[in-house]
Amino acid sequence: MSSTVKTDTGRNDSPAAGQAAARTGRAVRAVRTAGGLSVRLDVRTLVVCVLLTAVALFASVLLIGTGDFPMGPGDVLATLTGSGTAAQEFIVNDLRLPRVLVGLLVGAAFGVAGAVFQAVSRNPLGSPDVLGFSQGSTAGALLVLVFFQGGTFAVAAGSVVGGLVTGLAIFLLAWKGGIHGYRFVLVGIGAAAMLYAIVLYLMTKANIVEATQAVTWMTGTLSGRDWDQVWPLAIVCALLIPLSLLYGRPLRMLEMGDDAAYALGVPVTRVRVVLLAAAVLLVAAATAAAGPIAFLALTAPQLARRLTRSPGPNLLPAALMGAALLVTADWLSQQIFGADQLPVGVLTGLLGGGYLLWLLASERKAGRI
């Protein structure tokens, strides 16, 4: 099938995006096939996505080779392609590869969820950490762990149920003829404070063994992840991340405001409900697999947008940024502190907290807060 490529400057999927492109002078390529299909392609965004994918894969290879039995990148690649020794295949395929895959999937899930929450709330501080969804998943997991002494699967199920119940409660409390950004954020902040108090109460009811397990999980860690965590999370991501990407264009229009979105024919309520439901499920599944990784959902979309310099939620770059950040942070924590000596959530919390302070200072300097 033949196709033609046209280069447009200052054109994109929405008027606001087009105006932003015109101001920055960026080129947007429109690829049209003979069948009438038209795909608009931002070259800078494509380059950023390719680079982030390369960083995530490179960090994954380094992470697989890190541990008590170190392996070079060449040995890791040879083992992944079936050319390693029996010992190397056991170490890579059974012990380390699941950890890396969980890291990639969790990072992508938090990245997409954070981008959706920030776009819906039209607030750069909108993220599962701030809005209470991570705390809801944590409370659900601790409830199962403390009162029912649940195993790994039961704790994961409790995390998912807690996240869903929290999401439904916040959605209903924030609903008043629709979901609006500031009300959604305020209700989420209040829910986060209440759920954090519940988490502290549950910690007081735990014995020393349960408390140790709970604190490690609450910090956020990829240690000990296996294929039992990979497959459920992979299924959730395979279903919900493409669904979120399909709603990327109407989500971009929602950022212009409800009136403009309605005028452009966007079913505002349906788009919000679908995307918020997908984001809540992604957060719940990711939290069940690795714990509430601090600040990842906040920073990944922001950094992705700054790299692409593109208007809109940047869902795919946010997913790739989240994956690259998490596996890189896990590799750094092992390099600096030794294998599994520092949960990756501690490092993301330190870096993300610094980024949050910088973001608040920037917003204040710009007069937006």
Side-chain angles (χ1 to χ4, degrees):
M1 181 181 293
S2 62
S3 62
T4 60
V5 178
K6 294 181 67 178
T7 301
D8 268 338
T9 300
R11 296 182 62 186
N12 209 324
D13 290 328
S14 67
Q19 293 171 7
R23 287 194 299 268
T24 58
R26 60 190 302 118
V28 179
R29 296 183 180 275
V31 181
R32 294 183 176 88
T33 67
L37 178 65
S38 179
V39 179
R40 308 183 76 81
L41 184 64
D42 189 316
V43 177
R44 183 185 178 94
T45 300
L46 177 62
V47 171
V48 169
C49 288
V50 171
L51 291 176
L52 289 175
T53 301
V55 170
L57 293 177
F58 181 69
S60 298
V61 171
L62 294 179
L63 183 57
I64 291 174
T66 301
D68 294 333
F69 184 80
M71 298 172 61
D75 292 333
V76 171
L77 294 175
T79 305
L80 290 174
T81 55
S83 300
T85 65
Q88 288 175 333
E89 289 183 358
F90 172 75
I91 291 172
V92 170
N93 297 328
D94 293 341
L95 299 181
R96 297 180 183 175
L97 183 58
R99 174 184 186 138
V100 172
L101 292 177
V102 169
L104 292 172
L105 292 170
V106 167
F110 275 125
V112 171
V116 169
F117 285 131
Q118 290 173 16
V120 169
S121 64
R122 282 182 281 171
N123 190 322
L125 299 179
S127 76
D129 311 85
V130 178
L131 302 180
F133 296 99
S134 295
Q135 290 85 345
S137 295
T138 302
L142 287 181
L143 187 65
V144 173
L145 180 64
V146 173
F147 289 109
F148 301 99
Q149 290 75 46
T152 301
F153 179 78
V155 171
S159 174
V160 172
V161 172
L164 292 177
V165 171
T166 301
L168 180 61
I170 292 175
F171 183 85
L172 293 177
L173 290 172
W175 180 272
K176 186 179 180 182
I179 296 291
H180 300 281
Y182 287 107
R183 186 164 61 245
F184 181 68
V185 171
L186 290 175
V187 171
I189 291 173
M194 295 174 62
L195 288 166
Y196 182 68
I198 293 175
V199 168
L200 293 179
Y201 169 76
L202 292 173
M203 290 294 294
T204 65
K205 294 298 181 180
N207 59 43
I208 186 63
V209 176
E210 293 168 347
T212 302
Q213 294 175 343
V215 169
T216 301
W217 183 83
M218 287 170 55
T219 304
T221 180
L222 297 178
S223 177
R225 304 305 95 176
D226 56 29
W227 292 104
D228 290 339
Q229 283 87 33
V230 173
W231 295 119
L233 183 58
I235 292 172
V236 171
C237 290
L239 293 175
L240 297 182
I241 290 180
L243 175 65
S244 301
L245 295 178
L246 287 175
Y247 277 82
R249 188 169 183 237
L251 181 60
R252 179 181 299 177
M253 296 178 182
L254 280 180
E255 291 187 320
M256 299 185 296
D258 289 1
D259 293 338
Y262 276 122
L264 293 169
V266 176
V268 172
T269 300
R270 187 181 73 189
V271 170
R272 278 207 180 100
V273 169
V274 170
L275 284 172
L276 287 176
V280 169
L281 282 170
L282 285 171
V283 170
T287 303
I293 306 293
F295 289 112
L296 186 61
L298 173 70
T299 56
Q302 292 292 315
L303 293 177
R305 181 176 292 197
R306 292 179 185 279
L307 286 179
T308 62
R309 298 180 186 174
S310 176
N314 287 274
L315 294 179
L316 182 57
L320 296 174
M321 177 63 77
L325 283 177
L326 187 54
V327 293
T328 302
D330 196 33
W331 176 77
L332 284 174
S333 68
Q334 294 198 48
Q335 292 296 311
I336 298 173
F337 299 96
D340 297 328
Q341 295 299 309
L342 182 74
V344 68
V346 175
L347 187 58
T348 61
L350 291 173
L351 298 177
Y355 176 81
L356 176 60
L357 292 176
W358 176 84
L359 180 63
L360 289 171
S362 299
E363 293 290 304
R364 183 176 182 275
K365 185 177 181 180
R368 289 188 284 267
I369 60 175

